[in-house]
Coordinates of all heavy atoms in Angstrom, one line a residue:
I1 N 1.7 -1.2 -11.0 CA 0.5 -1.4 -10.1 C 0.6 -2.7 -9.3 O 0.3 -2.7 -8.1 CB -0.8 -1.5 -11.0 CG1 -1.1 -0.1 -11.7 CG2 -2.0 -1.8 -10.1 CD1 -1.3 1.1 -10.8
A2 N 1.1 -3.8 -9.9 CA 1.2 -5.1 -9.3 C 2.1 -5.0 -8.1 O 1.9 -5.5 -7.0 CB 1.7 -6.1 -10.2
I3 N 3.3 -4.3 -8.2 CA 4.2 -4.1 -7.1 C 3.5 -3.3 -6.0 O 3.5 -3.7 -4.8 CB 5.5 -3.4 -7.5 CG1 6.3 -4.2 -8.5 CG2 6.3 -3.0 -6.3 CD1 7.4 -3.5 -9.2
N4 N 2.9 -2.2 -6.4 CA 2.3 -1.4 -5.3 C 1.0 -1.9 -4.7 O 0.7 -1.5 -3.6 CB 2.1 0.0 -5.9 CG 3.4 0.7 -6.1 OD1 4.0 1.1 -5.1 ND2 3.9 0.9 -7.3
E5 N 0.3 -2.8 -5.4 CA -0.9 -3.3 -4.8 C -0.6 -4.2 -3.6 O -1.4 -4.3 -2.7 CB -1.8 -4.0 -5.8 CG -1.4 -5.3 -6.3 CD -2.3 -5.8 -7.5 OE1 -3.1 -5.0 -8.0 OE2 -2.1 -7.0 -7.9
I6 N 0.6 -4.8 -3.6 CA 1.0 -5.5 -2.4 C 1.1 -4.6 -1.2 O 0.6 -4.9 -0.1 CB 2.3 -6.3 -2.6 CG1 2.1 -7.3 -3.7 CG2 2.8 -6.9 -1.4 CD1 3.3 -8.0 -4.2
Y7 N 1.7 -3.4 -1.4 CA 1.8 -2.4 -0.4 C 0.4 -1.8 0.0 O 0.1 -1.6 1.1 CB 2.7 -1.3 -0.8 CG 4.1 -1.7 -0.9 CD1 4.6 -2.3 -2.0 CD2 5.0 -1.5 0.2 CE1 6.0 -2.7 -2.1 CE2 6.3 -1.9 0.1 CZ 6.8 -2.5 -1.0 OH 8.1 -2.9 -1.1
A8 N -0.4 -1.6 -1.0 CA -1.8 -1.0 -0.8 C -2.6 -1.9 0.0 O -3.5 -1.5 0.8 CB -2.4 -0.8 -2.2
R9 N -2.5 -3.3 -0.2 CA -3.3 -4.2 0.6 C -3.1 -4.0 2.1 O -3.9 -4.3 2.9 CB -2.9 -5.6 0.3 CG -3.6 -6.3 -0.8 CD -3.3 -7.8 -0.8 NE -4.1 -8.5 -1.8 CZ -3.6 -8.9 -3.0 NH1 -2.3 -8.7 -3.3 NH2 -4.4 -9.5 -3.8
H10 N -1.9 -3.5 2.5 CA -1.5 -3.3 3.9 C -1.8 -1.8 4.3 O -1.4 -1.5 5.4 CB -0.1 -3.7 4.1 CG 0.1 -5.1 4.0 ND1 -0.1 -6.0 5.0 CD2 0.6 -5.9 3.0 CE1 0.2 -7.3 4.6 NE2 0.6 -7.2 3.4
G11 N -2.4 -1.0 3.5 CA -2.8 0.3 3.8 C -1.8 1.4 3.6 O -2.0 2.5 4.2
L12 N -0.8 1.2 2.8 CA 0.2 2.3 2.6 C -0.5 3.5 1.9 O -1.3 3.3 1.0 CB 1.3 1.8 1.6 CG 2.4 2.9 1.3 CD1 3.2 3.3 2.5 CD2 3.3 2.4 0.2
I13 N -0.2 4.7 2.4 CA -0.7 5.9 1.8 C 0.4 6.3 0.8 O 1.5 6.6 1.2 CB -0.9 7.0 2.9 CG1 -1.9 6.6 3.9 CG2 -1.2 8.3 2.3 CD1 -2.1 7.4 5.1
F14 N 0.0 6.4 -0.4 CA 0.9 6.7 -1.5 C 1.1 8.2 -1.7 O 0.2 9.0 -1.7 CB 0.5 6.1 -2.8 CG 0.5 4.6 -2.8 CD1 -0.7 3.9 -2.5 CD2 1.6 3.9 -3.1 CE1 -0.7 2.5 -2.5 CE2 1.6 2.5 -3.1 CZ 0.5 1.8 -2.7
N15 N 2.4 8.6 -1.8 CA 2.7 10.0 -2.1 C 2.6 10.4 -3.5 O 2.3 11.5 -3.9 CB 4.2 10.3 -1.6 CG 4.3 10.3 -0.1 OD1 3.4 10.5 0.6 ND2 5.5 9.9 0.4
D16 N 2.8 9.4 -4.4 CA 2.6 9.6 -5.8 C 1.2 9.8 -6.2 O 0.3 8.9 -5.8 CB 3.2 8.3 -6.6 CG 3.0 8.4 -8.1 OD1 1.9 8.3 -8.6 OD2 4.1 8.6 -8.7
P17 N 0.8 10.9 -6.8 CA -0.6 11.2 -7.0 C -1.3 10.2 -8.0 O -2.5 9.9 -7.8 CB -0.6 12.6 -7.7 CG 0.8 13.0 -7.8 CD 1.7 12.0 -7.2
D18 N -0.6 9.7 -8.9 CA -1.2 8.7 -9.8 C -1.5 7.4 -9.1 O -2.6 6.8 -9.3 CB -0.2 8.4 -11.0 CG -0.1 9.6 -11.9 OD1 -1.0 10.4 -12.0 OD2 1.0 9.7 -12.6
L19 N -0.5 6.9 -8.3 CA -0.8 5.7 -7.5 C -1.9 5.9 -6.5 O -2.8 5.1 -6.3 CB 0.5 5.2 -6.8 CG 1.5 4.6 -7.7 CD1 2.8 4.3 -6.9 CD2 1.0 3.3 -8.4
S20 N -1.9 7.1 -5.9 CA -2.9 7.4 -4.9 C -4.3 7.4 -5.5 O -5.2 6.8 -5.0 CB -2.6 8.8 -4.2 OG -3.5 9.1 -3.3
A21 N -4.4 8.0 -6.6 CA -5.7 8.1 -7.3 C -6.1 6.7 -7.8 O -7.3 6.4 -7.7 CB -5.6 9.0 -8.5
Y22 N -5.2 5.9 -8.3 CA -5.5 4.6 -8.7 C -6.1 3.7 -7.6 O -7.2 3.1 -7.7 CB -4.3 3.9 -9.3 CG -4.6 2.5 -9.7 CD1 -5.1 2.2 -11.0 CD2 -4.4 1.4 -8.9 CE1 -5.5 0.9 -11.4 CE2 -4.7 0.1 -9.2 CZ -5.3 -0.2 -10.5 OH -5.6 -1.5 -10.9
F23 N -5.4 3.7 -6.5 CA -5.8 2.8 -5.4 C -7.0 3.4 -4.6 O -7.9 2.6 -4.1 CB -4.7 2.5 -4.4 CG -3.7 1.6 -5.1 CD1 -2.4 2.0 -5.4 CD2 -4.0 0.3 -5.3 CE1 -1.5 1.2 -6.0 CE2 -3.1 -0.6 -6.0 CZ -1.9 -0.1 -6.3
E24 N -7.2 4.7 -4.6 CA -8.4 5.3 -4.0 C -9.6 4.9 -4.7 O -10.7 4.8 -4.1 CB -8.3 6.8 -4.0 CG -7.3 7.4 -3.0 CD -7.8 7.3 -1.5 OE1 -9.0 7.2 -1.3 OE2 -6.9 7.4 -0.7
A25 N -9.5 4.5 -6.0 CA -10.7 4.1 -6.8 C -11.0 2.6 -6.5 O -12.0 2.1 -7.0 CB -10.4 4.3 -8.3
C26 N -10.1 1.9 -5.8 CA -10.4 0.5 -5.5 C -11.2 0.3 -4.2 O -10.9 0.9 -3.2 CB -9.0 -0.3 -5.3 SG -8.0 -0.3 -6.8
S27 N -12.3 -0.5 -4.3 CA -13.2 -0.6 -3.1 C -12.5 -1.2 -1.9 O -12.9 -0.9 -0.8 CB -14.4 -1.5 -3.5 OG -14.0 -2.8 -3.8
W28 N -11.4 -2.0 -2.1 CA -10.8 -2.7 -1.0 C -9.7 -1.9 -0.3 O -9.3 -2.2 0.8 CB -10.2 -4.0 -1.5 CG -9.2 -3.8 -2.7 CD1 -9.6 -3.9 -4.0 CD2 -7.9 -3.4 -2.7 NE1 -8.5 -3.6 -4.8 CE2 -7.4 -3.3 -4.0 CE3 -7.0 -3.2 -1.6 CZ2 -6.1 -3.0 -4.3 CZ3 -5.6 -2.8 -2.0 CH2 -5.2 -2.8 -3.3
Y29 N -9.3 -0.8 -0.9 CA -8.1 0.0 -0.4 C -8.5 0.8 0.8 O -9.5 1.5 0.8 CB -7.6 0.9 -1.5 CG -6.4 1.8 -1.1 CD1 -5.3 1.3 -0.6 CD2 -6.5 3.2 -1.2 CE1 -4.2 2.1 -0.3 CE2 -5.5 4.0 -0.9 CZ -4.3 3.4 -0.4 OH -3.3 4.2 -0.1
R30 N -7.8 0.6 1.9 CA -8.0 1.3 3.2 C -6.7 2.0 3.6 O -5.9 1.5 4.3 CB -8.4 0.4 4.3 CG -9.6 -0.5 4.0 CD -10.9 0.3 4.0 NE -12.1 -0.5 4.0 CZ -12.7 -0.9 2.9 NH1 -12.1 -0.6 1.7 NH2 -13.8 -1.6 2.9
P31 N -6.4 3.3 3.0 CA -5.2 3.9 3.4 C -5.1 4.3 4.8 O -6.0 4.8 5.4 CB -5.3 5.2 2.5 CG -6.7 5.4 2.2 CD -7.3 4.1 2.2
S32 N -4.0 3.8 5.5 CA -3.9 4.1 6.9 C -2.5 4.3 7.4 O -2.3 4.8 8.5 CB -4.5 2.8 7.7 OG -3.8 1.7 7.3
L33 N -1.5 4.1 6.6 CA -0.1 4.2 7.1 C 0.8 5.0 6.2 O 0.8 4.8 4.9 CB 0.5 2.8 7.2 CG -0.1 1.8 8.2 CD1 0.4 0.4 8.0 CD2 0.1 2.3 9.6
T34 N 1.5 5.9 6.7 CA 2.5 6.7 6.0 C 3.7 5.8 5.7 O 3.8 4.7 6.3 CB 3.0 7.9 6.8 OG1 3.7 7.5 7.9 CG2 1.9 8.8 7.1
Y35 N 4.6 6.2 4.9 CA 5.8 5.4 4.6 C 6.6 5.0 5.9 O 7.0 3.9 6.1 CB 6.7 6.1 3.6 CG 6.3 5.9 2.1 CD1 5.7 7.0 1.5 CD2 6.5 4.8 1.4 CE1 5.3 6.9 0.2 CE2 6.2 4.6 0.1 CZ 5.5 5.7 -0.5 OH 5.1 5.6 -1.8
D36 N 6.8 6.0 6.7 CA 7.5 5.8 8.0 C 6.8 4.8 8.8 O 7.5 3.9 9.4 CB 7.7 7.1 8.7 CG 8.7 8.1 8.0 OD1 9.5 7.6 7.2 OD2 8.6 9.3 8.2
D37 N 5.5 4.9 9.0 CA 4.8 4.0 9.9 C 4.7 2.6 9.2 O 4.8 1.6 9.9 CB 3.3 4.5 10.1 CG 3.3 5.7 10.9 OD1 4.2 6.0 11.7 OD2 2.3 6.5 10.8
F38 N 4.6 2.6 7.9 CA 4.5 1.3 7.2 C 5.8 0.5 7.4 O 5.7 -0.7 7.7 CB 4.4 1.6 5.7 CG 4.1 0.4 4.9 CD1 2.7 0.0 4.7 CD2 5.1 -0.4 4.3 CE1 2.4 -1.2 3.9 CE2 4.8 -1.5 3.5 CZ 3.5 -1.9 3.4
E39 N 6.9 1.1 7.3 CA 8.2 0.4 7.5 C 8.3 -0.2 8.9 O 8.9 -1.3 9.0 CB 9.4 1.3 7.2 CG 9.6 1.6 5.7 CD 10.8 2.4 5.5 OE1 11.5 2.8 6.4 OE2 11.1 2.7 4.3
S40 N 7.8 0.4 9.9 CA 7.9 -0.1 11.2 C 6.8 -1.0 11.7 O 6.9 -1.8 12.6 CB 8.0 1.1 12.2 OG 6.9 1.8 12.2
E41 N 5.7 -0.9 11.0 CA 4.5 -1.7 11.4 C 4.1 -2.9 10.6 O 3.4 -3.8 11.0 CB 3.3 -0.8 11.6 CG 3.4 0.3 12.6 CD 2.2 1.2 12.8 OE1 1.1 0.7 12.5 OE2 2.4 2.3 13.2
V42 N 4.5 -2.9 9.3 CA 4.0 -4.0 8.4 C 5.2 -4.9 8.1 O 6.3 -4.5 7.8 CB 3.5 -3.3 7.1 CG1 3.2 -4.4 6.1 CG2 2.3 -2.5 7.4
Q43 N 4.8 -6.2 8.1 CA 5.7 -7.2 7.7 C 5.0 -8.1 6.7 O 4.0 -8.7 7.0 CB 6.2 -8.1 8.9 CG 7.2 -9.1 8.6 CD 7.8 -9.8 9.8 OE1 7.4 -9.5 10.9 NE2 8.6 -10.8 9.5
F44 N 5.5 -8.2 5.5 CA 5.0 -9.0 4.4 C 5.1 -10.5 4.8 O 6.1 -10.9 5.4 CB 5.6 -8.7 3.1 CG 5.4 -7.4 2.5 CD1 6.3 -6.8 1.7 CD2 4.2 -6.7 2.7 CE1 6.1 -5.6 1.1 CE2 3.9 -5.5 2.1 CZ 4.9 -4.9 1.3
N45 N 4.2 -11.3 4.3 CA 4.3 -12.7 4.5 C 5.4 -13.2 3.4 O 5.8 -12.4 2.6 CB 3.0 -13.5 4.4 CG 2.3 -13.4 3.0 OD1 3.0 -13.5 2.0 ND2 1.0 -13.3 3.0
K46 N 5.8 -14.4 3.5 CA 6.8 -15.0 2.6 C 6.4 -14.9 1.2 O 7.3 -14.6 0.3 CB 7.2 -16.4 3.0 CG 7.9 -16.5 4.4 CD 8.4 -17.8 4.7 CE 9.0 -18.0 6.1 NZ 10.1 -17.1 6.4
V47 N 5.2 -15.1 0.9 CA 4.7 -15.1 -0.5 C 4.8 -13.6 -1.0 O 5.3 -13.4 -2.1 CB 3.2 -15.6 -0.6 CG1 2.6 -15.4 -2.0 CG2 3.2 -17.1 -0.2
E48 N 4.3 -12.7 -0.2 CA 4.4 -11.3 -0.6 C 5.9 -10.9 -0.8 O 6.2 -10.2 -1.8 CB 3.7 -10.4 0.4 CG 2.2 -10.5 0.5 CD 1.6 -9.9 1.7 OE1 2.2 -9.9 2.8 OE2 0.5 -9.3 1.5

């Protein structure tokens, strides 16, 4: 979860049903990017 919540913060839409269900239950999660879009549009900060 800790690894994937970094991605979830940036709106990654998860293909894994368990991860998808977990993050959909989080009030802060805003799914907006597929894996392909995520790779081209998101850049993690140095801490992430």
Side-chain angles (χ1 to χ4, degrees):
I1 296 296
I3 294 169
N4 286 290
E5 72 188 11
I6 295 171
Y7 291 85
R9 271 193 176 103
H10 292 277
L12 178 66
I13 298 170
F14 293 94
N15 293 331
D16 179 287
D18 293 332
L19 288 173
S20 181
Y22 177 86
F23 288 112
E24 287 287 340
C26 296
S27 65
W28 53 266
Y29 178 58
R30 305 289 189 272
S32 59
L33 298 169
T34 64
Y35 279 102
D36 292 337
D37 293 336
F38 189 88
E39 287 182 358
S40 64
E41 294 184 28
V42 173
Q43 185 172 357
F44 290 150
N45 67 39
K46 292 185 185 303
V47 172
E48 291 168 322

